[in-house]
């Protein structure tokens, strides 16, 4: 490829990329602001996962009974608080 | 093709600059609610598409350089200096990253690829991706500025064009060099993505930790690339440099290891943030530091700040990098100070003996190792700056500090999974630690019985002691991890009636991230076993005339002849050696010495016969000028093969961790409001 051919190819690429970048398009993606409720719903999934992990590890024999009860109570308390707030926000 | 390549680079710079400016303006308009002639969403979308277009422009430049290598266009200075007509085809590709300009182009191209994928996936979370894409564009602008104005790869030769080029550095003419640098760069460049997401999430005060889930795949893939790059570099050093080792604490090796350490710390501590909303500031600074360390690594490798066998390209682009690093640090500090209230922890550490604390210790140890290595790497530069004389830091300094740190890290690898979250009672410690402790002491006894005794012969051997500790901890950690698998499988066997293997399979599929991670830990254990073998390395050197013999370990080497060969690229001298074991001929090896035509540089080609027990590593060092006799150096390196095997397990484990887990089986249970325990019932079917 000669330098002239290279320049022509480069100019063609310039034109193509310019058109691609600025071609008017009406269906671009936008997103609503994330709300406190969205965050709480995400957090709820995480807390459920933590509870599932706790249950599983208890059944696998990693937690003595008394440790398990304390840990589960703490996690459930946190989850209950979170669900209560979700209920309030969801009306 | 030089004109096309240069035009592509200019175009890429313009597009990246537009992506940065228009993206930043659009995000500013969105954040403040101001109006403009064009809607911020549309402006942000043109910025995103400019980023995608920029990828094609950088691809055009990379293509132009590769095309020029293949067409032997020696009018381009870079091609003249890094290629020649007889260079084999795979190494023509390697010419792309063998010099400074080419490797910076590779950086920009890989960043373009990552950015391309990121921008195509923007609908996952439009605003967060817009922030990340704009920050990546900022990084890309820097590299394209360097490529256009400080280290242009398409600069033309002044004067007459030679008929042939200077050729590729002989050290780089080795198969691994075709894949090791791209993998290492994929790792280096890849950390730009989690950095961009973390900085973007902080700038926009992203609510929650979902950004971590979004970037998890990016971070793990990047970490895997960097890991593979480092190991392939080790294997290259082992197979090419001819000194019998694979890691010499060379500054450039250190430069790749430091971001790996902080990246590994981030992968662990980010779990705390995801699960419990803890360590948010810590994690943000870990990923900021990792990105800065990748820049420092590129600076050390490419700017000739330190002397290294790996620093193949040296020049004066250091100032550009320093300025950029100062800008990055300033932006990070400014954003952190402005938004630090967003990073307040949601939970406190409840006990020093818990899974959380093991993650914290793991992080502290990894960062300590990183700081020690950073200190040792930069010490020659600092000493020259302060005292006027360059004081280098040798391997003993690193070994004295890094080996104990590494062993403590191995200990934490075993302890962490055994500790429950939040707090651990003494009863739980007793229950979970019995088997690993038994395995540890049993291994100590076996090693001592097998002769790995540090006090052998009345003198204390530090290397043997570390090896003994390493083997014992490896056994304990392996036992701990296997017990995790077996305990989990036992639960599934009880619940579903499946056999052990089916239960293990289901266990892993249910939580790929955790059990993939455990597989990675097994790989690390196997690697550590391989590294411990270095304590028992042996070597011997001898002038080996025709039919004379030398011995190393159980092997006897007999020289049966010498031969020569030649091709378009190099001339070779071979020594033909029969290897005997237990009095019988086992195999034949042909260590080689080459002289490359284009550069006139010699290069030894080591012969390695690898078994699980040890490597027989033989170097043909050339001829003694006084006696005319060939010199052969033979090493017996125990357990080296375990290191490469460990890497395969790490790759497999990471691949498992990257797979999506099976969705938990849940059952919705409607209960009266008055009951106090509805949640317990709702999650009962989940495990």
């Amino acid at each position: 490829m000669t330098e002239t051919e290279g320049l022509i190819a480069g100019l063609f690429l310039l034109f193509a990329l310019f058109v691609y970048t600025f071609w008017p398009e009406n269906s671009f993606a936008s997103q609503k602001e994330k709300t406190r409720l969205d965050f709480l719903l995400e957090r709820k999934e995480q807390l459920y996962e933590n509870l599932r992990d706790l249950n599983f590890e208890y059944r696998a024999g990693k937690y003595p009974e008394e440790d398990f009860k304390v840990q589960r109570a703490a996690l459930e308390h946190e989850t209950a608080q979170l669900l209560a707030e979700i209920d309030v926000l969801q009306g | 093709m030089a004109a096309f390549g240069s035009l592509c680079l200019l175009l890429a710079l313009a597009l990246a600059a537009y992506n940065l400016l228009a993206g930043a303006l659009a995000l500013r308009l969105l954040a403040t609610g101001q109006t403009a002639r064009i809607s911020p969403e549309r402006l942000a979308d043109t910025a995103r598409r400019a980023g995608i277009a920029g990828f094609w422009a950088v691809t055009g430049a990379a293509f132009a350089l590769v095309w020029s290598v293949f067409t032997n266009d020696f009018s381009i200075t870079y091609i003249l200096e890094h290629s020649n007509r007889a260079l084999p085809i795979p190494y023509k590709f390697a010419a792309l990253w063998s010099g400074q300009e080419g490797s910076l182009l590779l950086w920009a191209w890989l960043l373009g690829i990552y950015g391309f994928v990121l921008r195509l996936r923007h609908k996952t979370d439009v605003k967060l991706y817009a922030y990340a894409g704009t920050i990546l564009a900022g990084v890309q602008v820097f590299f394209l500025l360097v490529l256009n104005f400080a280290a242009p790869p398409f600069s033309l030769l002044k004067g007459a064009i030679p008929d042939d080029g200077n050729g590729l550095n002989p050290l780089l003419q080795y198969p691994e060099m075709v894949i090791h640098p791209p993998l290492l760069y994929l790792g280096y460049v890849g950390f730009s993505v989690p950095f961009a997401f973390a900085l973007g999430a902080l700038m926009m005060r992203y609510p929650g930790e979902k950004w971590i889930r979004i970037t998890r795949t990016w971070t793990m893939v990047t970490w895997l690339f960097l890991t593979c790059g480092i190991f392939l570099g080790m294997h290259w050093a082992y197979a090419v440099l001819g000194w019998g080792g694979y890691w010499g604490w060379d500054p450039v090796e250190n430069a790749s290891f430091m971001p790996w350490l902080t990246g590994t710390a981030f992968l662990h501590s980010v779990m705390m943030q995801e699960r419990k909303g803890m360590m948010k500031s810590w994690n943000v600074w870990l990923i900021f530091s990792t990105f800065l360390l990748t820049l420092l690594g590129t600076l050390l490798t490419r700017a000739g700040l330190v002397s290294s066998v790996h620093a193949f390209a040296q020049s004066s682009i250091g100032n550009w990098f320093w300025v950029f690093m100062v800008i990055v640090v300033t932006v990070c500090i400014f954003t952190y100070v402005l938004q630090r209230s967003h990073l307040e922890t949601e939970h406190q550490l409840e006990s020093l003996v818990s899974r959380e604390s093991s993650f914290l210790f793991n992080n502290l140890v990894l960062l300590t190792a990183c700081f020690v290595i950073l200190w040792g790497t930069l010490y020659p530069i600092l000493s020259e700056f302060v005292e006027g004389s360059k004081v280098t830091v040798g391997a003993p300094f690193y070994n004295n500090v890094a080996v104990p740190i590494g062993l403590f890290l191995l200990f934490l690898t075993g302890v962490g999974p055994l500790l429950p979250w939040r707090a651990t009672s003494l009863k739980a410690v007793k229950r979970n630690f019995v088997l690993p402790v038994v395995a540890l002491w049993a291994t100590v006894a076996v090693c001592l019985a097998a002769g790995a005794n540090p006090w052998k012969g009345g003198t204390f051997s530090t290397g043997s002691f570390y090896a003994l500790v390493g083997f014992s901890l490896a056994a304990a950690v392996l036992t701990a991890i296997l017990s995790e698998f077996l305990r989990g499988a036992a639960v599934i066997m009880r619940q579903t009636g499946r056999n052990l293997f089916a239960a293990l399979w289901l266990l892993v599929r249910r939580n790929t991230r955790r059990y993939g991670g455990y597989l990675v830990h097994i790989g690390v254990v196997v690697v550590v076993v391989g590294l411990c073998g270095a304590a028992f390395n042996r070597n011997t050197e001898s002038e080996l005339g025709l039919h004379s013999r030398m011995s190393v370990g159980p092997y006897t080497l007999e020289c049966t002849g010498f031969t020569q060969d030649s091709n378009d690229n190099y001339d070779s001298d071979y020594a033909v050696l029969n290897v005997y074991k237990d009095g019988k001929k086992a195999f034949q090896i042909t260590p080689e010495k080459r002289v490359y035509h284009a550069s006139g540089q010699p290069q030894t080609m080591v012969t390695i016969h690898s078994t699980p027990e040890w490597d027989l590593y033989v170097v043909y060092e050339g001829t003694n000028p006084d006696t005319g006799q060939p010199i052969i150096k033979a090493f017996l390196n125990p357990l080296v093969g375990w290191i490469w095997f460990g890497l395969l397990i790490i790759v497999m484990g990471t691949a498992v961790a990257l797979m999506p887990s099976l969705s938990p089986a849940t059952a919705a249970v409607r209960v009266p409001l008055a009951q106090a325990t509805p949640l317990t019932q709702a999650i009962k079917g989940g495990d």
Side-chain angles (χ1 to χ4, degrees):
Chain A
M1 186 187 273
T2 65
E3 290 307 293
T4 312
E5 288 167 344
L7 272 176
I8 292 167
L11 290 172
F12 177 75
L13 185 68
L14 170 69
F15 175 73
L17 295 181
F18 183 85
V19 168
Y20 171 75
T21 304
F22 295 107
W23 190 263
E25 192 178 324
N26 294 319
S27 59
F28 45 84
S30 61
Q31 183 181 290
K32 67 178 178 68
E33 286 297 314
K34 200 171 165 185
T35 62
R36 169 85 181 158
L37 182 61
D38 296 330
F39 161 65
L40 290 176
L41 291 171
E42 277 170 19
R43 192 83 191 129
K44 184 183 83 171
E45 290 306 314
Q46 184 60 56
L47 280 172
Y48 278 7
E49 199 176 314
N50 293 356
L51 273 162
R52 275 194 295 271
D53 270 1
L54 180 70
N55 276 339
F56 189 80
E57 294 201 332
Y58 168 64
R59 288 180 192 180
K62 280 177 76 173
Y63 284 94
E65 179 77 27
E66 52 272 36
D67 289 9
F68 171 67
K69 282 180 179 168
V70 173
Q71 305 261 1
R72 192 177 67 172
L75 265 178
E76 284 179 353
H77 177 68
E78 192 181 345
T79 313
Q81 284 180 321
L82 182 130
L83 289 174
E85 193 181 342
I86 289 176
D87 279 348
V88 170
L89 290 173
Q90 285 180 328
Chain B
M1 213 56 178
F4 177 73
S6 300
L7 195 61
C8 282
L9 282 178
L10 274 174
L11 181 56
L13 175 61
L15 287 165
Y18 178 78
N19 186 176
L20 173 64
L21 297 174
L25 179 63
L27 291 170
R28 177 77 190 151
L29 290 173
L30 281 169
T32 57
Q34 288 175 296
T35 52
R37 282 174 61 191
I38 180 170
S39 78
E41 286 88 356
R42 174 166 279 174
L43 187 62
D45 200 52
T46 60
R48 182 185 70 83
R49 285 194 269 165
I52 292 173
F55 157 72
W56 291 111
V58 183
T59 302
F63 171 77
L65 197 66
V66 173
W67 178 273
S68 304
V69 177
F70 275 88
T71 53
N72 299 310
D73 186 353
F74 300 121
S75 66
I76 298 172
T77 314
Y78 184 83
I79 308 299
L80 177 75
E81 288 172 356
H82 298 98
S83 182
N84 64 309
R85 291 182 187 280
L87 192 66
I89 287 173
Y91 302 129
K92 295 244 180 194
F93 283 107
L96 177 60
W97 48 83
S98 62
Q100 175 191 268
E101 296 86 352
S103 59
L104 288 172
L105 180 55
L106 180 67
W107 229 105
W109 184 55
L110 295 177
L111 189 60
I113 294 174
Y114 279 119
F116 178 73
V117 177
L118 183 145
R119 290 175 182 108
L120 285 183
R121 295 171 59 88
H122 72 293
K123 286 183 181 167
T124 310
D125 192 316
V126 178
K127 196 173 171 188
L128 179 64
Y129 273 66
Y131 269 92
T134 305
I135 292 163
L136 278 188
V139 180
Q140 187 70 300
V141 164
F142 163 71
F143 278 95
L144 290 167
L145 277 173
V146 175
L147 278 166
N148 276 288
F149 303 110
F154 297 102
S155 61
L156 295 174
L157 186 70
K158 288 171 185 151
I161 300 168
D163 191 45
D164 203 358
N166 300 339
L168 188 67
N169 185 335
L171 285 172
L172 298 177
Q173 297 193 37
Y174 192 78
E176 258 127 325
M177 268 296 150
V178 181
I179 49 171
H180 153 63
L183 282 177
L184 203 60
Y185 269 57
L186 276 166
Y188 270 5
V189 181
F191 273 117
S192 310
V193 177
F195 164 76
F197 273 108
L199 186 59
L202 187 58
M203 282 176 170
M204 67 183 280
R205 297 179 75 88
Y206 189 82
E209 320 306 335
K210 197 184 165 192
W211 71 270
I212 295 174
R213 275 177 192 254
I214 293 172
T215 54
R216 184 195 296 157
T217 306
W218 292 95
T219 313
M220 282 168 53
V221 168
T222 293
W223 180 88
L224 182 64
F225 280 136
L226 189 58
T227 307
C228 290
I230 291 171
F231 274 82
L232 284 174
M234 286 166 69
H235 194 266
W236 167 81
Y238 185 60
V240 169
L241 297 183
W243 61 283
Y246 37 76
W247 191 266
W249 296 108
D250 178 278
V252 173
E253 290 172 345
N254 296 347
S256 64
F257 193 37
M258 287 185 285
W260 185 88
L261 288 168
T262 51
T264 306
F266 176 73
L267 272 176
H268 285 88
S269 64
V270 86
M271 279 188 264
M272 302 253 290
Q273 184 170 347
E274 212 179 328
R275 284 183 70 107
K276 305 191 72 179
M278 296 168 75
M279 296 176 80
K280 292 181 182 178
S281 292
W282 179 271
N283 286 329
V284 157
W285 277 104
L286 266 184
I287 197 64
F288 288 175
S289 309
T290 304
F291 177 65
L292 284 165
L293 286 168
T294 62
L295 291 178
L296 181 70
T298 313
L299 171 69
L300 290 174
T301 323
R302 297 296 150 199
L305 274 183
V306 290
S307 306
S308 162
V309 290
H310 301 269
F312 298 110
Q314 304 199 342
S315 82
S316 55
I317 56 165
N319 291 339
W320 286 77
F321 272 86
W322 285 121
V323 169
F324 182 58
M325 285 169 74
V326 167
I327 292 171
V328 172
V329 170
T330 309
V331 170
C332 290
I333 291 175
F334 180 75
T335 310
Y336 176 77
V337 170
L338 207 64
Q339 311 284 28
R340 66 185 183 284
S341 61
H342 178 63
L343 299 173
E344 278 173 16
T345 188
E346 292 166 29
H347 292 88
Q348 299 295 332
L349 195 65
E350 293 175 35
S351 165
L352 274 179
V353 188
S354 61
R355 183 81 60 86
E356 290 92 327
S357 66
S358 80
F359 278 128
L360 187 62
F361 283 127
N362 149 300
N363 267 236
L364 290 174
V365 172
L366 284 165
L367 286 193
T368 307
C370 183
F371 178 76
V372 168
I373 295 167
L374 182 66
W375 177 253
T377 307
L378 295 181
Y379 192 75
I381 302 166
L382 296 173
S383 66
E384 190 174 26
F385 182 71
V386 176
E387 296 173 2
S389 61
K390 193 176 265 191
V391 181
T392 51
V393 178
F397 164 79
Y398 295 105
N399 288 335
N400 286 338
V401 184
V403 175
I405 290 176
L407 290 173
F408 185 58
L409 201 58
L410 182 63
F411 166 75
L412 289 176
T413 308
V415 167
L418 298 179
L419 294 174
W421 291 95
R422 287 173 178 254
T424 311
S425 67
L426 191 62
K427 201 171 172 182
V429 171
K430 282 182 188 166
R431 179 185 288 214
N432 297 333
F433 282 80
V434 171
L435 274 177
V437 170
V438 168
L440 186 138
W441 287 108
T443 311
V444 170
V446 169
C447 286
L448 290 176
N453 184 349
W455 294 272
K456 211 173 183 177
T459 53
F460 178 73
S461 161
T462 313
S464 298
F465 174 73
Y466 283 147
L468 178 66
V469 176
F471 289 140
S472 310
L473 282 175
V477 174
L478 195 61
T479 308
I481 298 169
L482 291 179
S483 73
E484 279 291 298
F485 275 97
L486 291 176
R487 280 174 170 184
V491 175
I492 292 179
M493 286 163 73
R494 278 200 304 274
Q495 284 180 335
T496 65
R498 291 167 198 245
N499 65 36
L500 177 65
F501 294 106
L504 279 170
W505 177 248
L506 183 59
L507 177 76
V508 173
R509 289 190 65 205
R510 273 186 178 182
N511 196 339
T512 51
R513 189 182 179 191
R514 174 190 290 188
Y515 292 99
Y518 286 163
L519 280 174
V520 171
H521 285 185
I522 291 177
V524 171
V525 168
V526 173
V527 169
V528 168
V529 169
L531 296 176
C532 287
F536 310 101
N537 283 358
R538 281 173 273 178
N539 69 76
T540 180
E541 185 178 298
S542 179
E543 288 185 16
L544 211 61
L546 201 59
H547 302 304
S548 51
R549 292 183 169 210
M550 64 189 288
S551 292
V552 57
Y555 297 110
T556 300
L557 281 61
E558 183 193 28
C559 180
T560 59
F562 297 93
T563 183
Q564 292 181 325
D565 196 8
S566 185
N567 60 30
D568 291 342
N569 197 25
Y570 55 81
D571 295 328
S572 301
D573 284 334
Y574 295 91
V576 184
L577 306 173
N578 282 343
V579 181
Y580 296 86
K581 192 178 177 194
D582 302 325
K584 292 178 189 164
K585 184 183 167 188
F587 50 90
Q588 189 176 69
I589 55 175
T590 52
E592 177 188 356
K593 192 168 181 69
R594 293 178 182 170
V595 177
Y596 285 84
H597 297 154
S599 61
Q601 292 181 48
Q603 175 64 37
T604 54
M605 298 302 288
V606 179
T607 298
I608 303 169
H609 179 77
S610 195
T611 69
E613 203 174 358
W614 46 47
D615 281 9
L616 175 65
Y617 179 104
V618 183
V619 188
Y620 178 24
E621 293 198 313
T623 314
N624 184 335
D626 297 329
T627 61
Q629 294 276 30
I631 304 168
I632 301 292
K633 190 163 189 177
F635 298 77
L636 193 72
N637 298 335
L639 304 175
V640 173
W642 288 53
I643 298 172
W644 322 128
F645 181 60
L647 173 65
L648 292 180
I649 300 176
I650 290 172
V651 172
M652 196 175 72
T654 313
V656 170
L658 281 167
M659 283 193 266
S661 297
L662 287 179
S663 299
T666 54
V669 179
R670 189 176 291 277
V671 291
L673 196 63
Q675 286 191 13
T677 56
L679 299 172
T680 314
Q681 291 188 14
I683 55 123
K684 258 185 179 169
D687 48 10

